[in-house]
Short mmCIF file of all heavy atoms in Angstrom, two decimals:
data_model
loop_
_atom_site.label_atom_id
_atom_site.label_comp_id
_atom_site.label_asym_id
_atom_site.label_seq_id
_atom_site.Cartn_x
_atom_site.Cartn_y
_atom_site.Cartn_z
N MET A 1 179.41 2.03 199.52
CA MET A 1 178.33 1.57 198.63
C MET A 1 178.54 2.14 197.23
O MET A 1 178.90 3.28 197.06
CB MET A 1 176.99 2.03 199.19
CG MET A 1 175.79 1.26 198.60
SD MET A 1 175.98 -0.53 198.84
CE MET A 1 175.08 -1.14 197.44
N VAL A 2 178.31 1.29 196.25
CA VAL A 2 178.50 1.73 194.87
C VAL A 2 177.26 2.47 194.37
O VAL A 2 176.14 2.10 194.67
CB VAL A 2 178.76 0.52 193.95
CG1 VAL A 2 179.05 0.98 192.53
CG2 VAL A 2 179.91 -0.31 194.46
N ASP A 3 177.52 3.53 193.63
CA ASP A 3 176.45 4.28 192.99
C ASP A 3 175.66 3.35 192.06
O ASP A 3 176.23 2.75 191.16
CB ASP A 3 177.10 5.42 192.19
CG ASP A 3 176.08 6.33 191.55
OD1 ASP A 3 174.90 5.95 191.48
OD2 ASP A 3 176.49 7.41 191.11
N PRO A 4 174.36 3.21 192.27
CA PRO A 4 173.54 2.30 191.43
C PRO A 4 173.62 2.66 189.95
O PRO A 4 173.56 1.78 189.09
CB PRO A 4 172.11 2.50 191.96
CG PRO A 4 172.28 3.05 193.34
CD PRO A 4 173.56 3.83 193.32
N GLN A 5 173.74 3.97 189.68
CA GLN A 5 173.85 4.39 188.28
C GLN A 5 175.15 3.88 187.66
O GLN A 5 175.19 3.45 186.52
CB GLN A 5 173.83 5.93 188.19
CG GLN A 5 172.51 6.54 188.52
CD GLN A 5 171.38 6.03 187.61
OE1 GLN A 5 170.47 5.37 188.06
NE2 GLN A 5 171.48 6.31 186.32
N LEU A 6 176.21 3.91 188.47
CA LEU A 6 177.51 3.44 188.02
C LEU A 6 177.45 1.93 187.81
O LEU A 6 177.94 1.40 186.83
CB LEU A 6 178.57 3.79 189.06
CG LEU A 6 180.01 3.35 188.78
CD1 LEU A 6 180.55 4.03 187.54
CD2 LEU A 6 180.91 3.65 189.97
N LEU A 7 176.80 1.27 188.73
CA LEU A 7 176.68 -0.18 188.68
C LEU A 7 176.01 -0.62 187.39
O LEU A 7 176.37 -1.64 186.79
CB LEU A 7 175.86 -0.65 189.89
CG LEU A 7 175.97 -2.12 190.28
CD1 LEU A 7 177.42 -2.50 190.53
CD2 LEU A 7 175.14 -2.38 191.52
N LYS A 8 175.06 0.17 186.94
CA LYS A 8 174.30 -0.17 185.74
C LYS A 8 175.16 -0.20 184.48
O LYS A 8 174.89 -0.96 183.57
CB LYS A 8 173.17 0.86 185.55
CG LYS A 8 171.79 0.27 185.80
CD LYS A 8 170.72 1.27 185.45
CE LYS A 8 169.96 1.69 186.70
NZ LYS A 8 168.97 2.74 186.44
N ILE A 9 176.17 0.67 184.45
CA ILE A 9 176.96 0.76 183.22
C ILE A 9 178.24 -0.07 183.29
O ILE A 9 178.92 -0.23 182.29
CB ILE A 9 177.34 2.23 182.88
CG1 ILE A 9 178.10 2.87 184.03
CG2 ILE A 9 176.09 3.03 182.54
CD1 ILE A 9 178.76 4.18 183.66
N LEU A 10 178.53 -0.61 184.46
CA LEU A 10 179.74 -1.42 184.59
C LEU A 10 179.54 -2.81 184.00
O LEU A 10 178.52 -3.44 184.24
CB LEU A 10 180.14 -1.55 186.06
CG LEU A 10 180.80 -0.33 186.69
CD1 LEU A 10 180.97 -0.54 188.18
CD2 LEU A 10 182.13 -0.04 186.04
N VAL A 11 180.52 -3.25 183.26
CA VAL A 11 180.49 -4.61 182.72
C VAL A 11 181.85 -5.25 182.93
O VAL A 11 182.83 -4.57 183.26
CB VAL A 11 180.16 -4.61 181.21
CG1 VAL A 11 178.72 -4.19 180.95
CG2 VAL A 11 181.14 -3.74 180.43
N CYS A 12 181.92 -6.53 182.73
CA CYS A 12 183.18 -7.24 182.84
C CYS A 12 184.16 -6.68 181.82
O CYS A 12 183.82 -6.54 180.64
CB CYS A 12 182.94 -8.73 182.58
SG CYS A 12 184.45 -9.70 182.57
N PRO A 13 185.38 -6.32 182.26
CA PRO A 13 186.35 -5.73 181.34
C PRO A 13 186.79 -6.71 180.24
O PRO A 13 187.33 -6.29 179.22
CB PRO A 13 187.53 -5.36 182.23
CG PRO A 13 187.37 -6.18 183.47
CD PRO A 13 185.90 -6.43 183.62
N LEU A 14 186.54 -7.96 180.44
CA LEU A 14 186.96 -8.95 179.45
C LEU A 14 185.88 -9.22 178.41
O LEU A 14 186.06 -8.96 177.22
CB LEU A 14 187.33 -10.27 180.14
CG LEU A 14 188.56 -10.25 181.03
CD1 LEU A 14 188.74 -11.60 181.71
CD2 LEU A 14 189.79 -9.89 180.23
N GLY A 15 184.75 -9.73 178.88
CA GLY A 15 183.72 -10.18 177.94
C GLY A 15 182.51 -9.27 177.87
O GLY A 15 181.55 -9.57 177.19
N LYS A 16 182.55 -8.14 178.60
CA LYS A 16 181.44 -7.19 178.62
C LYS A 16 180.16 -7.81 179.15
O LYS A 16 179.05 -7.41 178.79
CB LYS A 16 181.18 -6.59 177.23
CG LYS A 16 182.43 -6.08 176.53
CD LYS A 16 182.91 -4.79 177.16
CE LYS A 16 184.16 -4.27 176.46
NZ LYS A 16 185.33 -4.24 177.34
N ALA A 17 180.29 -8.83 180.00
CA ALA A 17 179.12 -9.45 180.61
C ALA A 17 178.68 -8.62 181.81
O ALA A 17 179.48 -7.90 182.40
CB ALA A 17 179.46 -10.88 181.05
N PRO A 18 177.39 -8.69 182.18
CA PRO A 18 176.91 -7.91 183.33
C PRO A 18 177.57 -8.36 184.63
O PRO A 18 178.03 -9.49 184.76
CB PRO A 18 175.41 -8.20 183.37
CG PRO A 18 175.10 -9.09 182.24
CD PRO A 18 176.34 -9.48 181.55
N LEU A 19 177.60 -7.44 185.60
CA LEU A 19 178.20 -7.73 186.90
C LEU A 19 177.11 -7.81 187.97
O LEU A 19 176.05 -7.21 187.84
CB LEU A 19 179.20 -6.65 187.28
CG LEU A 19 180.37 -6.46 186.31
CD1 LEU A 19 181.14 -5.20 186.67
CD2 LEU A 19 181.29 -7.66 186.34
N ARG A 20 177.41 -8.58 189.02
CA ARG A 20 176.49 -8.73 190.14
C ARG A 20 177.18 -8.21 191.38
O ARG A 20 178.36 -8.48 191.60
CB ARG A 20 176.18 -10.22 190.27
CG ARG A 20 175.16 -10.59 191.31
CD ARG A 20 174.92 -12.09 191.28
NE ARG A 20 176.10 -12.84 191.70
CZ ARG A 20 176.63 -13.87 191.03
NH1 ARG A 20 176.13 -14.24 189.89
NH2 ARG A 20 177.68 -14.51 191.49
N LEU A 21 176.43 -7.47 192.20
CA LEU A 21 177.00 -6.97 193.45
C LEU A 21 176.90 -8.06 194.51
O LEU A 21 175.83 -8.58 194.78
CB LEU A 21 176.23 -5.72 193.89
CG LEU A 21 176.82 -4.94 195.07
CD1 LEU A 21 178.20 -4.42 194.76
CD2 LEU A 21 175.89 -3.80 195.45
N GLU A 22 178.05 -8.41 195.07
CA GLU A 22 178.07 -9.44 196.12
C GLU A 22 178.88 -8.94 197.29
O GLU A 22 180.11 -8.93 197.23
CB GLU A 22 178.69 -10.72 195.56
CG GLU A 22 177.70 -11.87 195.41
CD GLU A 22 178.36 -13.15 194.96
OE1 GLU A 22 179.39 -13.52 195.54
OE2 GLU A 22 177.83 -13.77 194.03
N GLY A 23 178.19 -8.55 198.35
CA GLY A 23 178.89 -7.99 199.49
C GLY A 23 179.65 -6.75 199.07
O GLY A 23 179.06 -5.81 198.55
N ASN A 24 180.96 -6.78 199.26
CA ASN A 24 181.78 -5.63 198.91
C ASN A 24 182.55 -5.86 197.62
O ASN A 24 183.59 -5.26 197.39
CB ASN A 24 182.74 -5.30 200.05
CG ASN A 24 183.11 -3.84 200.05
OD1 ASN A 24 182.33 -2.99 199.60
ND2 ASN A 24 184.31 -3.53 200.53
N THR A 25 182.03 -6.74 196.77
CA THR A 25 182.71 -7.03 195.52
C THR A 25 181.72 -7.04 194.37
O THR A 25 180.52 -7.19 194.56
CB THR A 25 183.41 -8.42 195.55
OG1 THR A 25 182.43 -9.41 195.86
CG2 THR A 25 184.52 -8.46 196.59
N LEU A 26 182.26 -6.89 193.16
CA LEU A 26 181.46 -7.05 191.96
C LEU A 26 181.92 -8.34 191.28
O LEU A 26 183.10 -8.57 191.11
CB LEU A 26 181.68 -5.86 191.01
CG LEU A 26 181.03 -4.55 191.43
CD1 LEU A 26 181.47 -3.43 190.49
CD2 LEU A 26 179.51 -4.67 191.40
N VAL A 27 180.96 -9.17 190.91
CA VAL A 27 181.30 -10.46 190.32
C VAL A 27 180.74 -10.53 188.91
O VAL A 27 179.58 -10.20 188.67
CB VAL A 27 180.70 -11.62 191.16
CG1 VAL A 27 181.15 -12.97 190.62
CG2 VAL A 27 181.10 -11.47 192.62
N CYS A 28 181.58 -10.95 187.97
CA CYS A 28 181.11 -11.13 186.60
C CYS A 28 180.15 -12.31 186.57
O CYS A 28 180.46 -13.39 187.06
CB CYS A 28 182.28 -11.37 185.66
SG CYS A 28 181.74 -11.77 183.99
N THR A 29 178.96 -12.10 185.98
CA THR A 29 177.95 -13.17 185.96
C THR A 29 178.32 -14.27 184.99
O THR A 29 177.73 -15.33 185.01
CB THR A 29 176.57 -12.60 185.59
OG1 THR A 29 176.68 -11.90 184.36
CG2 THR A 29 176.07 -11.65 186.67
N ARG A 30 179.29 -14.02 184.12
CA ARG A 30 179.67 -15.07 183.19
C ARG A 30 180.96 -15.79 183.59
O ARG A 30 181.02 -17.00 183.65
CB ARG A 30 179.81 -14.52 181.77
CG ARG A 30 180.05 -15.64 180.76
CD ARG A 30 180.66 -15.11 179.49
NE ARG A 30 179.68 -14.50 178.63
CZ ARG A 30 179.96 -13.46 177.83
NH1 ARG A 30 181.17 -12.95 177.82
NH2 ARG A 30 179.04 -12.96 177.05
N CYS A 31 182.01 -15.00 183.89
CA CYS A 31 183.29 -15.68 184.12
C CYS A 31 183.71 -15.70 185.59
O CYS A 31 184.64 -16.43 185.93
CB CYS A 31 184.37 -15.09 183.23
SG CYS A 31 184.86 -13.41 183.59
N GLY A 32 183.04 -14.94 186.46
CA GLY A 32 183.20 -15.13 187.89
C GLY A 32 184.29 -14.44 188.69
O GLY A 32 184.33 -14.62 189.90
N PRO A 33 185.21 -13.67 188.10
CA PRO A 33 186.20 -13.00 188.95
C PRO A 33 185.55 -11.93 189.82
O PRO A 33 184.53 -11.36 189.45
CB PRO A 33 187.17 -12.36 187.95
CG PRO A 33 186.38 -12.19 186.72
CD PRO A 33 185.39 -13.32 186.69
N ARG A 34 186.16 -11.70 191.00
CA ARG A 34 185.64 -10.70 191.93
C ARG A 34 186.47 -9.43 191.85
O ARG A 34 187.68 -9.47 192.06
CB ARG A 34 185.70 -11.23 193.35
CG ARG A 34 184.71 -12.30 193.63
CD ARG A 34 184.91 -12.89 195.00
NE ARG A 34 183.95 -13.96 195.21
CZ ARG A 34 182.69 -13.73 195.63
NH1 ARG A 34 182.32 -12.51 195.93
NH2 ARG A 34 181.86 -14.73 195.75
N PHE A 35 185.79 -8.35 191.59
CA PHE A 35 186.45 -7.04 191.55
C PHE A 35 186.15 -6.33 192.86
O PHE A 35 184.99 -6.24 193.27
CB PHE A 35 185.93 -6.22 190.37
CG PHE A 35 186.15 -6.90 189.04
CD1 PHE A 35 185.14 -7.67 188.47
CD2 PHE A 35 187.36 -6.78 188.37
CE1 PHE A 35 185.34 -8.31 187.25
CE2 PHE A 35 187.56 -7.42 187.16
CZ PHE A 35 186.55 -8.19 186.60
N SER A 36 187.20 -5.86 193.52
CA SER A 36 186.99 -5.23 194.81
C SER A 36 186.47 -3.80 194.64
O SER A 36 186.65 -3.17 193.61
CB SER A 36 188.29 -5.23 195.61
OG SER A 36 189.28 -4.51 194.93
N ILE A 37 185.82 -3.33 195.70
CA ILE A 37 185.28 -1.97 195.71
C ILE A 37 185.94 -1.20 196.84
O ILE A 37 186.01 -1.70 197.97
CB ILE A 37 183.75 -1.99 195.91
CG1 ILE A 37 183.08 -2.78 194.78
CG2 ILE A 37 183.19 -0.57 195.98
CD1 ILE A 37 181.63 -3.10 195.04
N SER A 38 186.45 -0.02 196.54
CA SER A 38 187.14 0.75 197.56
C SER A 38 186.15 1.30 198.58
O SER A 38 184.94 1.31 198.34
CB SER A 38 187.92 1.90 196.92
OG SER A 38 187.02 2.92 196.56
N ARG A 39 186.69 1.77 199.70
CA ARG A 39 185.84 2.33 200.74
C ARG A 39 185.05 3.53 200.22
O ARG A 39 183.97 3.84 200.68
CB ARG A 39 186.70 2.77 201.93
CG ARG A 39 186.67 1.76 203.07
CD ARG A 39 187.48 2.26 204.24
NE ARG A 39 188.87 2.56 203.84
CZ ARG A 39 189.68 3.35 204.50
NH1 ARG A 39 189.27 3.95 205.58
NH2 ARG A 39 190.92 3.55 204.10
N GLU A 40 185.62 4.20 199.24
CA GLU A 40 184.95 5.36 198.67
C GLU A 40 183.85 4.96 197.69
O GLU A 40 183.11 5.79 197.18
CB GLU A 40 185.95 6.27 197.96
CG GLU A 40 186.92 6.97 198.89
CD GLU A 40 188.05 6.04 199.35
OE1 GLU A 40 188.30 5.04 198.65
OE2 GLU A 40 188.67 6.31 200.38
N GLY A 41 183.77 3.66 197.37
CA GLY A 41 182.73 3.19 196.46
C GLY A 41 183.16 3.06 195.02
O GLY A 41 182.32 2.92 194.14
N TYR A 42 184.47 3.10 194.79
CA TYR A 42 184.95 2.97 193.42
C TYR A 42 185.41 1.53 193.16
O TYR A 42 186.31 1.04 193.83
CB TYR A 42 186.10 3.93 193.13
CG TYR A 42 185.70 5.37 193.24
CD1 TYR A 42 186.11 6.16 194.32
CD2 TYR A 42 184.89 5.95 192.27
CE1 TYR A 42 185.73 7.48 194.44
CE2 TYR A 42 184.50 7.27 192.37
CZ TYR A 42 184.93 8.03 193.45
OH TYR A 42 184.54 9.33 193.56
N PRO A 43 184.80 0.88 192.18
CA PRO A 43 185.21 -0.48 191.87
C PRO A 43 186.56 -0.51 191.15
O PRO A 43 186.84 0.36 190.33
CB PRO A 43 184.11 -1.00 190.93
CG PRO A 43 183.10 0.09 190.81
CD PRO A 43 183.69 1.35 191.34
N ASN A 44 187.37 -1.48 191.51
CA ASN A 44 188.65 -1.68 190.83
C ASN A 44 188.42 -2.70 189.73
O ASN A 44 188.32 -3.89 189.99
CB ASN A 44 189.69 -2.17 191.83
CG ASN A 44 191.03 -2.46 191.17
OD1 ASN A 44 191.18 -2.35 189.96
ND2 ASN A 44 192.01 -2.81 191.96
N MET A 45 188.32 -2.21 188.49
CA MET A 45 187.97 -3.10 187.39
C MET A 45 189.18 -3.69 186.67
O MET A 45 189.06 -4.18 185.56
CB MET A 45 187.08 -2.34 186.38
CG MET A 45 185.76 -1.86 186.95
SD MET A 45 184.86 -3.13 187.88
CE MET A 45 184.46 -4.26 186.54
N LEU A 46 190.33 -3.65 187.32
CA LEU A 46 191.51 -4.26 186.69
C LEU A 46 191.45 -5.77 186.87
O LEU A 46 191.46 -6.27 187.99
CB LEU A 46 192.79 -3.71 187.33
CG LEU A 46 193.10 -2.25 187.06
CD1 LEU A 46 194.33 -1.82 187.85
CD2 LEU A 46 193.30 -2.01 185.57
N ILE A 47 191.41 -6.47 185.76
CA ILE A 47 191.32 -7.93 185.83
C ILE A 47 192.57 -8.51 186.47
O ILE A 47 192.51 -9.53 187.16
CB ILE A 47 191.07 -8.53 184.42
CG1 ILE A 47 190.79 -10.03 184.52
CG2 ILE A 47 192.22 -8.26 183.46
CD1 ILE A 47 189.51 -10.40 185.23
N GLU A 48 193.69 -7.83 186.32
CA GLU A 48 194.94 -8.31 186.92
C GLU A 48 194.87 -8.31 188.45
O GLU A 48 195.58 -9.05 189.11
CB GLU A 48 196.12 -7.44 186.49
CG GLU A 48 196.49 -7.56 185.02
CD GLU A 48 195.63 -6.66 184.15
OE1 GLU A 48 194.78 -5.91 184.68
OE2 GLU A 48 195.80 -6.72 182.92
N GLU A 49 193.99 -7.46 189.01
CA GLU A 49 193.90 -7.37 190.46
C GLU A 49 192.63 -8.02 191.00
O GLU A 49 192.37 -7.99 192.20
CB GLU A 49 193.96 -5.89 190.87
CG GLU A 49 195.32 -5.29 190.57
CD GLU A 49 195.40 -3.81 190.92
OE1 GLU A 49 194.50 -3.31 191.61
OE2 GLU A 49 196.36 -3.17 190.49
N ALA A 50 191.84 -8.60 190.12
CA ALA A 50 190.62 -9.26 190.56
C ALA A 50 190.94 -10.63 191.16
O ALA A 50 191.97 -11.22 190.86
CB ALA A 50 189.66 -9.43 189.38
N GLU A 51 190.02 -11.10 192.01
CA GLU A 51 190.19 -12.41 192.60
C GLU A 51 189.54 -13.44 191.68
O GLU A 51 188.34 -13.39 191.41
CB GLU A 51 189.50 -12.42 193.97
CG GLU A 51 189.70 -13.71 194.73
CD GLU A 51 188.83 -13.75 195.98
OE1 GLU A 51 188.67 -12.68 196.62
OE2 GLU A 51 188.30 -14.81 196.29
N LEU A 52 190.34 -14.36 191.17
CA LEU A 52 189.83 -15.33 190.20
C LEU A 52 188.94 -16.37 190.89
O LEU A 52 189.15 -16.70 192.05
CB LEU A 52 191.00 -16.01 189.48
CG LEU A 52 191.88 -15.08 188.65
CD1 LEU A 52 193.04 -15.84 188.04
CD2 LEU A 52 191.08 -14.38 187.57
N PRO A 53 187.95 -16.89 190.16
CA PRO A 53 187.06 -17.90 190.75
C PRO A 53 187.81 -19.20 191.03
O PRO A 53 188.86 -19.45 190.43
CB PRO A 53 185.99 -18.10 189.67
CG PRO A 53 186.58 -17.58 188.42
CD PRO A 53 187.59 -16.55 188.79
N PRO A 54 187.27 -20.03 191.93
CA PRO A 54 187.93 -21.29 192.27
C PRO A 54 188.15 -22.15 191.03
O PRO A 54 187.28 -22.24 190.17
CB PRO A 54 186.93 -21.98 193.22
CG PRO A 54 186.04 -20.90 193.72
CD PRO A 54 186.01 -19.86 192.65
N GLY A 55 189.32 -22.75 190.94
CA GLY A 55 189.59 -23.63 189.80
C GLY A 55 190.22 -22.92 188.62
O GLY A 55 190.69 -23.55 187.69
N ILE A 56 190.21 -21.59 188.66
CA ILE A 56 190.82 -20.82 187.57
C ILE A 56 192.17 -20.29 188.04
O ILE A 56 192.24 -19.57 189.03
CB ILE A 56 189.91 -19.65 187.13
CG1 ILE A 56 188.54 -20.15 186.67
CG2 ILE A 56 190.59 -18.82 186.05
CD1 ILE A 56 188.49 -20.73 185.29
N GLN A 57 193.22 -20.66 187.36
CA GLN A 57 194.56 -20.23 187.75
C GLN A 57 195.02 -19.00 186.99
O GLN A 57 195.78 -18.19 187.51
CB GLN A 57 195.58 -21.35 187.48
CG GLN A 57 195.17 -22.71 188.00
CD GLN A 57 195.07 -22.74 189.51
OE1 GLN A 57 195.79 -22.01 190.19
NE2 GLN A 57 194.19 -23.57 190.04
N ARG A 58 194.57 -18.91 185.76
CA ARG A 58 195.07 -17.83 184.91
C ARG A 58 193.91 -17.06 184.29
O ARG A 58 192.85 -17.63 184.02
CB ARG A 58 195.93 -18.41 183.78
CG ARG A 58 197.11 -19.25 184.26
CD ARG A 58 197.81 -19.87 183.07
NE ARG A 58 196.85 -20.55 182.21
CZ ARG A 58 197.01 -20.70 180.89
NH1 ARG A 58 198.07 -20.21 180.30
NH2 ARG A 58 196.10 -21.34 180.18
N ILE A 59 194.15 -15.79 184.05
CA ILE A 59 193.15 -14.95 183.39
C ILE A 59 192.76 -15.56 182.04
O ILE A 59 191.61 -15.50 181.63
CB ILE A 59 193.72 -13.52 183.19
CG1 ILE A 59 193.91 -12.85 184.56
CG2 ILE A 59 192.82 -12.67 182.31
CD1 ILE A 59 194.78 -11.61 184.50
N GLU A 60 193.75 -16.18 181.40
CA GLU A 60 193.53 -16.76 180.08
C GLU A 60 192.49 -17.89 180.10
O GLU A 60 191.96 -18.27 179.06
CB GLU A 60 194.85 -17.30 179.51
CG GLU A 60 195.82 -16.22 179.07
CD GLU A 60 196.63 -15.64 180.25
OE1 GLU A 60 196.37 -16.02 181.41
OE2 GLU A 60 197.51 -14.81 180.00
N ASP A 61 192.23 -18.45 181.29
CA ASP A 61 191.28 -19.57 181.38
C ASP A 61 189.84 -19.10 181.58
O ASP A 61 188.92 -19.92 181.59
CB ASP A 61 191.67 -20.49 182.54
CG ASP A 61 192.97 -21.23 182.25
OD1 ASP A 61 193.28 -21.43 181.06
OD2 ASP A 61 193.67 -21.60 183.21
N LEU A 62 189.63 -17.82 181.79
CA LEU A 62 188.29 -17.31 182.03
C LEU A 62 187.45 -17.33 180.74
O LEU A 62 187.96 -17.00 179.67
CB LEU A 62 188.35 -15.88 182.55
CG LEU A 62 188.95 -15.70 183.95
CD1 LEU A 62 189.19 -14.22 184.22
CD2 LEU A 62 188.03 -16.29 185.01
N PRO A 63 186.17 -17.72 180.87
CA PRO A 63 185.30 -17.75 179.69
C PRO A 63 185.22 -16.39 178.98
O PRO A 63 185.19 -16.33 177.75
CB PRO A 63 183.92 -18.12 180.26
CG PRO A 63 184.21 -18.80 181.55
CD PRO A 63 185.48 -18.21 182.07
N CYS A 64 185.20 -15.32 179.75
CA CYS A 64 185.10 -13.99 179.14
C CYS A 64 186.37 -13.66 178.35
O CYS A 64 186.31 -12.99 177.33
CB CYS A 64 184.86 -12.91 180.20
SG CYS A 64 183.13 -12.69 180.63
N TYR A 65 187.51 -14.15 178.83
CA TYR A 65 188.76 -13.88 178.13
C TYR A 65 188.73 -14.56 176.77
O TYR A 65 189.11 -14.00 175.75
CB TYR A 65 189.94 -14.39 178.95
CG TYR A 65 191.28 -14.07 178.33
CD1 TYR A 65 191.90 -12.85 178.57
CD2 TYR A 65 191.92 -14.99 177.50
CE1 TYR A 65 193.13 -12.55 178.01
CE2 TYR A 65 193.15 -14.70 176.93
CZ TYR A 65 193.75 -13.49 177.19
OH TYR A 65 194.95 -13.19 176.62
N ARG A 66 188.24 -15.79 176.77
CA ARG A 66 188.16 -16.53 175.50
C ARG A 66 187.20 -15.85 174.55
O ARG A 66 187.39 -15.88 173.35
CB ARG A 66 187.72 -17.96 175.78
CG ARG A 66 188.75 -18.69 176.61
CD ARG A 66 188.36 -20.11 176.83
NE ARG A 66 189.31 -20.77 177.72
CZ ARG A 66 189.13 -21.99 178.20
NH1 ARG A 66 188.05 -22.65 177.87
NH2 ARG A 66 190.02 -22.52 178.98
N GLU A 67 186.16 -15.28 175.12
CA GLU A 67 185.17 -14.59 174.31
C GLU A 67 185.82 -13.45 173.52
O GLU A 67 185.52 -13.27 172.34
CB GLU A 67 184.08 -14.01 175.24
CG GLU A 67 182.87 -13.48 174.53
CD GLU A 67 181.97 -14.59 174.01
OE1 GLU A 67 182.12 -15.75 174.44
OE2 GLU A 67 181.15 -14.29 173.15
N THR A 68 186.73 -12.74 174.16
CA THR A 68 187.38 -11.61 173.49
C THR A 68 188.32 -12.08 172.40
O THR A 68 188.65 -11.33 171.49
CB THR A 68 188.19 -10.76 174.50
OG1 THR A 68 189.21 -11.57 175.07
CG2 THR A 68 187.33 -10.21 175.60
N LEU A 69 188.76 -13.32 172.50
CA LEU A 69 189.70 -13.83 171.50
C LEU A 69 189.01 -14.38 170.26
O LEU A 69 189.63 -14.61 169.25
CB LEU A 69 190.56 -14.95 172.12
CG LEU A 69 191.54 -14.50 173.19
CD1 LEU A 69 192.41 -15.67 173.63
CD2 LEU A 69 192.42 -13.37 172.69
N LYS A 70 187.70 -14.59 170.39
CA LYS A 70 186.96 -15.14 169.27
C LYS A 70 187.04 -14.22 168.06
O LYS A 70 186.83 -13.01 168.19
CB LYS A 70 185.48 -15.29 169.66
CG LYS A 70 185.02 -16.75 169.68
CD LYS A 70 183.54 -16.82 169.93
CE LYS A 70 183.24 -17.72 171.11
NZ LYS A 70 181.86 -17.56 171.55
N PRO A 71 187.32 -14.76 166.91
CA PRO A 71 187.38 -13.93 165.70
C PRO A 71 186.02 -13.29 165.45
O PRO A 71 184.98 -13.88 165.74
CB PRO A 71 187.70 -14.93 164.59
CG PRO A 71 188.08 -16.20 165.26
CD PRO A 71 187.54 -16.17 166.65
N ALA A 72 186.05 -12.09 164.91
CA ALA A 72 184.80 -11.37 164.64
C ALA A 72 183.89 -12.17 163.73
O ALA A 72 182.71 -12.30 163.96
CB ALA A 72 185.10 -10.01 164.03
N GLU A 73 184.46 -12.68 162.67
CA GLU A 73 183.65 -13.54 161.80
C GLU A 73 184.34 -14.89 161.65
O GLU A 73 185.54 -14.95 161.45
CB GLU A 73 183.40 -12.89 160.43
CG GLU A 73 184.56 -12.93 159.47
CD GLU A 73 185.31 -11.61 159.48
OE1 GLU A 73 185.18 -10.85 160.48
OE2 GLU A 73 186.01 -11.32 158.50
N SER A 74 183.57 -15.94 161.85
CA SER A 74 184.13 -17.27 161.68
C SER A 74 183.35 -17.99 160.59
O SER A 74 182.15 -17.81 160.50
CB SER A 74 184.09 -18.05 162.98
OG SER A 74 182.82 -17.93 163.59
N PRO A 75 184.02 -18.77 159.79
CA PRO A 75 183.37 -19.44 158.67
C PRO A 75 182.33 -20.47 159.12
O PRO A 75 182.44 -21.02 160.18
CB PRO A 75 184.50 -20.15 157.91
CG PRO A 75 185.67 -20.15 158.83
CD PRO A 75 185.46 -19.05 159.86
ZN1 LIG B 101 183.58 -11.80 182.68
#
């Protein structure tokens, strides 16, 4: 089980969107990849090792990934 305090501060490593606890995984509420949680309760927040949502083949296709690419200021 994940520490609730830890859960509160965890966000999607890509777009900093909040995460939802689903079974034994953490799911980004915006872009949907599943981050696994170890038996000791430590979430693996590496996007490279996350399970991508259906229909998404590449990390580059995730909405949160695109969010990080957005220029800070756009005309
Ligand atoms: Zn995300």
Side-chain angles (χ1 to χ4, degrees):
M1 198 56 209
V2 184
D3 184 345
Q5 290 302 115
L6 179 63
L7 199 56
K8 250 187 246 176
I9 58 168
L10 284 173
V11 291
C12 176
L14 293 177
K16 312 287 180 243
L19 300 170
R20 184 178 67 230
L21 188 62
E22 248 185 47
N24 207 28
T25 57
L26 287 173
V27 185
C28 174
T29 55
R30 187 200 280 148
C31 68
R34 289 174 182 276
F35 301 95
S36 61
I37 300 168
S38 76
R39 259 182 303 160
E40 292 79 21
Y42 297 107
N44 178 357
M45 298 311 294
L46 291 176
I47 187 66
E48 291 83 3
E49 293 178 13
E51 184 189 323
L52 297 177
I56 301 282
Q57 311 295 330
R58 303 175 309 151
I59 293 165
E60 288 82 355
D61 291 334
L62 293 169
C64 275
Y65 184 86
R66 296 183 184 172
E67 190 74 16
T68 61
L69 292 185
K70 244 186 234 167
E73 76 262 21
S74 46

